[in-house]
Amino acid sequence: MFDYSFGASRLDTDNARPNNQYRNTAAIADVGWSPNEQLRISSLFTYSLSDIGLPNTIFTPKPRDNFLTERWLIAPHVDIRIGDWWEHKFIFSYDEERQVNDPNEDGFVGATRALFTRATVDYQNNLRPTSWLTVTSGFFYSEVDAGQERPFVLFGPQFINDHTEQTGAFLQVTLTPIKNLIFVAGGRFDHFNQFGDIWTYRVAGSYKIDQTNTTLHSSVATGFSPPSSQDKIFGNNFGLKPEKDFAWDAGVEQRLWENRIAVGATYFHNDLSNLIGFNGLFETLNLGAARTQGIETELRVQPTVDLIFTATYTYLDAENTSSVDITQLQGARLPRRPRNEVYVSASYLWCKKLHTTIAAKFVNAREELNFGGPNFDIEDYAFVNVAAEYQVNKYMSIFGRIDNLTDEQYAEVFGFPALGRAAYAGVKVRF
């Protein structure tokens, strides 16, 4: 049996500022063949071409700077199922990405051209020898070649390249030894040609108390994030160290009114080291250590089948804990991380045909870098979005939305104002 899916899209927008246009063309296809229920052989194909203007900040605009990115990918994969107790997944992928920044008005290297090629092999299998045990294991291999040409540098043309190889293996065990208890433990070993050997792990668990309909959950994990070729090449720093993280969290969820109400709260804590950032010349470097911690809360209420209310609140304490960071003082708040963030929404399905949603977001207490001096406060902001979709029949629906309904003037990143009120509409056809 053959199966397939195809998709294509085109987006053109000029946005609100000069040289802030965006043009994107994308296509995707997935074609597969299944000779029986145990085997599927298929391949994924993607292509995208984007052309954007880079207006820079409102204080130092760039009226001509332009960036083009073209990427294609092919990813054959094989899925094998041996009964209900053993699954295998093989994925092989290769992609190329071409980048052209011309003119490049950064004042340092001039116009640039870059090419990235990536090849990966990914294998995973899920083994379920009993109803209460699942063992997931596999391996991963990746090879990335990156190069950037700078033909108009002051002291003559330059070509900078980077080669990265990663080999990894992982194992995870999921246990459900008693009713309502789930325990997960896993580890991963990775070898990098530039950074050596790295071990990471994660342990997590949850338990539901039937008498009160309460679920307790917690996890502890380590993380590892190597610098990308983009970080090394564009930031002129091949001595970057990988970012590392130790994290843990604990929380509770309570369900009420026959599961129509769900209330949850989670405390999280992260200790990060070797943070990757940049200086005033946009050179990448390791910025020492930081700590983030806070509380995430959520409320979901569904009084009827067609009506849903949701609300979330996040409190975040994010602090630079190292004197190594040359961009800000030790003890300063990490830039652009809001201390308070609130999101609320309501959705309703009218007569099984018209689905409407209204949502609002509020962000408070953010700071911006002052490169060596004290951070400075940046404005709070809030916006409201509305959306609707009407199901004409089983083959066609009409949709529309208005973003930033109140035309709020704000910037998520200081100096880069967001769009004002914007309206979108379209038609979906299924066959």
Side-chain angles (χ1 to χ4, degrees):
M1 180 180 68
F2 286 94
D3 63 90
Y4 61 89
S5 65
F6 301 99
S9 64
R10 171 71 185 183
L11 175 63
D12 288 73
T13 176
D14 290 328
N15 294 317
R17 299 177 56 203
N19 193 37
N20 199 20
Q21 71 279 1
Y22 178 69
R23 312 282 186 261
N24 178 263
T25 302
I28 184 171
D30 190 353
V31 180
W33 174 59
S34 303
N36 52 54
E37 295 183 354
Q38 288 74 44
L39 175 64
R40 182 175 184 264
I41 303 172
S42 58
S43 187
L44 176 69
F45 307 89
T46 66
Y47 174 82
S48 66
L49 176 66
S50 62
D51 191 359
I52 65 175
L54 302 177
N56 209 34
T57 72
I58 57 176
F59 310 106
T60 56
K62 295 179 180 179
R64 298 185 307 128
D65 210 353
N66 191 78
F67 196 87
L68 180 143
T69 303
E70 183 179 34
R71 183 182 182 188
W72 64 267
L73 173 144
I74 179 172
H77 48 100
V78 179
D79 298 327
I80 303 173
R81 177 186 293 270
I82 302 175
D84 296 329
W85 57 282
W86 204 1
E87 298 172 349
H88 302 265
K89 296 180 181 294
F90 299 86
I91 301 175
F92 315 89
S93 68
Y94 178 82
D95 71 276
E96 288 190 358
E97 181 174 332
R98 178 174 65 95
Q99 299 177 349
V100 179
N101 190 182
D102 186 12
N104 181 354
E105 296 186 324
D106 62 7
F108 299 104
V109 301
T112 59
R113 291 188 290 269
L115 178 66
F116 301 84
T117 63
R118 307 175 183 89
T120 64
V121 179
D122 194 352
Y123 166 70
Q124 176 181 321
N125 81 84
N126 299 311
L127 178 63
R128 288 181 288 271
T130 70
S131 61
W132 51 268
L133 173 63
T134 300
V135 180
T136 300
S137 60
F139 63 82
F140 175 84
Y141 174 78
S142 172
E143 182 175 311
V144 179
D145 284 297
Q148 184 190 60
E149 183 182 13
R150 302 172 177 177
F152 306 118
V153 179
L154 181 62
F155 300 106
Q158 291 184 354
F159 181 80
I160 302 175
N161 65 294
D162 180 57
H163 176 78
T164 303
E165 292 184 32
Q166 176 187 355
T167 304
F170 56 89
L171 175 67
Q172 176 177 286
V173 177
T174 302
L175 295 168
T176 54
I178 61 174
K179 181 184 176 182
N180 297 339
L181 175 63
I182 302 175
F183 179 78
V184 180
R188 177 169 179 137
F189 172 79
D190 288 278
H191 173 78
F192 293 83
N193 64 321
Q194 298 179 357
F195 311 114
D197 299 336
I198 300 294
W199 285 95
T200 52
Y201 66 86
R202 179 177 182 266
V203 179
S206 68
Y207 181 71
K208 180 182 177 182
I209 304 172
D210 282 334
Q211 293 84 345
T212 59
N213 208 2
T214 305
T215 301
L216 308 175
H217 59 86
S218 181
S219 70
V220 59
T222 57
F224 173 84
S225 178
S228 67
S229 294
Q230 294 265 18
D231 293 327
K232 290 177 281 185
I233 288 179
F234 289 95
N236 296 311
N237 189 345
F238 287 85
L240 286 173
K241 298 178 182 179
E243 293 184 345
K244 295 184 178 181
D245 179 26
F246 174 78
W248 65 273
D249 64 73
V252 58
E253 181 187 71
Q254 179 65 58
R255 292 184 176 269
L256 305 165
W257 193 19
E258 298 178 341
N259 291 328
R260 296 180 186 179
I261 297 177
V263 183
T266 300
Y267 172 82
F268 60 89
H269 184 102
N270 296 276
D271 291 309
L272 305 109
S273 59
N274 297 333
L275 285 178
I276 296 175
F278 58 89
N279 58 18
L281 299 177
F282 296 100
E283 297 171 327
T284 52
L285 64 161
N286 289 112
L287 299 179
R291 182 198 67 236
T292 63
Q293 59 184 349
I295 297 176
E296 294 179 335
T297 62
E298 180 178 8
L299 169 65
R300 186 177 187 273
V301 182
Q302 189 173 5
T304 69
V305 173
D306 298 325
L307 178 62
I308 301 175
F309 297 99
T310 61
T312 63
Y313 167 71
T314 301
Y315 171 80
L316 175 64
D317 175 31
E319 179 183 338
N320 171 34
T321 58
S322 171
S323 61
V324 175
D325 190 345
I326 65 173
T327 64
Q328 61 178 166
L329 302 176
Q330 184 174 359
R333 183 172 181 80
L334 295 183
R336 307 188 189 107
R337 276 76 162 182
R339 189 176 298 277
N340 303 291
E341 186 171 323
V342 178
Y343 173 84
V344 294
S345 71
S347 65
Y348 189 73
L349 180 62
W350 306 79
C351 303
K352 308 301 180 182
K353 287 282 190 178
L354 176 63
H355 187 262
T356 58
T357 301
I358 181 169
K361 185 177 182 179
F362 172 74
V363 174
N364 165 261
R366 299 178 302 149
E367 298 179 358
E368 185 56 277
L369 285 174
N370 199 20
F371 288 105
N375 291 352
F376 60 90
D377 293 334
I378 51 180
E379 63 178 344
D380 305 336
Y381 68 86
F383 59 79
V384 178
N385 297 338
V386 294
E389 182 171 352
Y390 180 75
Q391 189 76 37
V392 178
N393 53 49
K394 65 179 181 179
Y395 302 109
M396 184 174 71
S397 60
I398 303 171
F399 66 90
R401 76 176 194 270
I402 300 176
D403 291 347
N404 194 5
L405 180 65
T406 59
D407 200 25
E408 178 82 3
Q409 305 300 305
Y410 70 96
E412 293 188 16
V413 179
F414 180 73
F416 295 85
L419 287 176
R421 184 187 300 113
Y424 307 83
V427 176
K428 294 179 181 178
V429 178
R430 305 169 183 86
F431 55 89

